[in-house]
Amino acid sequence: MNTSAIVQTQNLTKKHGSINSVNKVDLYVQEGEIYGFLGPNGAGKTTTLKMLLGLIKPSEGTINIFGESLNKRRSTILQRTGSLIESPSYYGHLTGLENMRVMQRLRNVPDKNIHEVLRIVRLENQKDKKAEQYSLGMKQRLGIAMALLAFPKLLILDEPTNGLDPAGIGEIRELIKSLPARYGITVLLSSHMLSEIDQIATSVGIISDGNLLFQGSMESLRKKGRSAIRLKTGDNTKAEELLLTQGYSLTKGGSRLEFDNLADREVAEINRLLVEHYIPVTRIEEQKKSLEDIFLELTGKERSL
Amino acid sequence: MIKTLGLEYYKIRRKKIWLMITLFLGVEMLWAFMSITRSIAKNPDHAVWESIVFNISSMNGLFMPIISAIVVSRICDMEHKGATWKLLVATNVRRGNLYAAKYICANSLLLFGILTQAVMMIVFGLMKGFPGTPPIEILLQFIVVNLLTTLAVTALQQWISLAIKNQTFALCLGMLGGFVGMTAGLFPGEARHIFIWSYYLDLSPVTFHYTGSTSLYITQPVGAGIVLFALAMTVLFYIAGSIHVSRQEI
Ligand SMILES: Nc1ncnc2c1ncn2[C@@H]1O[C@H](COP(=O)(O)OP(=O)(O)OP(=O)(O)O)[C@@H](O)[C@H]1O
Ligand SMILES: [Mg+2]
């Protein structure tokens, strides 16, 4: 096993009745990463993260965190893990500060941690207000502060920007981005928003209907967005016929001719062929697939995200 | 474990549970004292320590199940409301410890209520000038059997309060218990032993007898069988509840 794997699951499965809400997932999160766990609603993100924290039991599969089995070393693992799952947890009748004190007792950390995390999430001025009087975004900040309190080695955040306003989303994003370098924290966060993951994550796992469809660096995901070359000519029908006889495979015909995966040399060759046959070439365009396109292609879902 | 227990006491601040117990039992005591004062006025023979112990014991059959249900529900409901159970479990708190901490916390609060009752009874007796010194033995017995019954009642209440999020169930059970506890005397002897709430009266150190035209209070020994039964129910409810709640998915 790779020693730098902070989280590693094998064949992780959760059955709800006969349905596999999480199906044979092999997660692999490396130290120092910000791992974005991406998937549409109901994909199984929360279910997976709950299993990592021992809140629910997997139907099948194994979980290793910090290189140790969650089954055997749950207690030591959880001591070094902070989390925020689904809606933030808080005691409504206690103030923000008192909620932090509850966590402080559980985590055995000094007072200065409380003040530091409250400052980080910008709740210092609201800390004496009862948590039930907090707005949704403030509760979310409190939840993040509680998860962060002990500056754990691993931070698991389920949709951390839920309920935050755009400024808040930006703030939390910058905060999360700074965590690996500043505190040596590895972050595993889930989201159904591609744009969010795109801006934060260094690695990404895409889950849909319980299946992990892609896992790798953000770079490798972007590379999947191969470019397509589109041509427009004076006589597309003739051009199509010609190029087909020359062994070029078109992905789309009609008003625009489209080719996948063309090398620069091939583009030049096609252009020369057309011109030699007196077909005027009016446009040569490169079209890059957006991450959105890749994501929709992978998940096979035409819903907007 | 000590840490988890300490945390329970920290978390109930501002919940005003002390105040609620004091007020609730205060009303009960006031009611009992008034009724005894009236009964003494009619029959001076009733001006004895046993009368107050008996009256409070029988009224506890109504009041203790209800206040127990409320106290336990308050302590458990806060975890449901803010979805904090998952927070605690994900922060390395063992569910078994959490369950035990809540149980101890609730019962310590209720024990405080029972002790206060005992003190109030002494104060009342001295004020009324009951003959003899306060019957320490009877009062101790009163405290022990009330705690014993409360332990079983709270074990049941905690199971319901934690397993079912909607606290209406737990509170209704408490009221049902109060009703059974209040009317326990009307049930035939053996049948009522299956209802834990009737033990406030059944285990009372003092009972009331009508002999022809007169009535008198007599002390009764505590039946070992019933005590064992109460202990068995406590253990059963506690273990079943703890296992059930610990296995629940979060
Ligand atoms: N307790 C449960 N009983 C039955 N089905 C469940 C249960 N919990 C989750 N599921 C199902 O598992 C699937 C995955 O749910 P999950 O909450 O993990 O989705 P998610 O990826 O977190 O979605 P979202 O983005 O909406 O939060 C869903 O189809 C859901 O209906
Ligand atoms: Mg979710």
Side-chain angles (χ1 to χ4, degrees), chain A residues 45-46 86 158-159:
Chain A
K45 303 181 294 290
T46 301
E86 265 178 343
D158 190 16
E159 318 236 5

Side-chain angles (χ1 to χ4, degrees), chain A residues 120-122 141 166-176:
Chain A
I120 288 179
V121 301
R122 289 177 183 257
R141 285 158 197 264
I169 292 178
E171 261 172 47
I172 296 298
R173 186 194 304 137
E174 291 314 308
L175 164 67
I176 291 173

Side-chain angles (χ1 to χ4, degrees), chain A residues 247-258:
Chain A
Y248 290 99
S249 56
L250 281 79
T251 50
K252 227 188 266 172
S255 63
R256 287 268 202 283
L257 304 176
E258 202 174 301

Side-chain angles (χ1 to χ4, degrees), chain A residues 40-47 49 85-86 158-159 190 192:
Chain A
N41 290 138
K45 303 181 294 290
T46 301
T47 308
L49 299 183
I85 296 295
E86 265 178 343
D158 190 16
E159 318 236 5
S190 81
H192 59 273

Side-chain angles (χ1 to χ4, degrees), chain A residues 19 51 60 62 67 85 94 101 141 209 257 274 282 300 305:
Chain A
I19 300 160
M51 286 193 279
E60 271 168 51
T62 57
I85 296 295
L94 299 180
R101 293 246 180 259
R141 285 158 197 264
D209 288 334
L257 304 176
L274 294 172
T282 55
L305 288 158

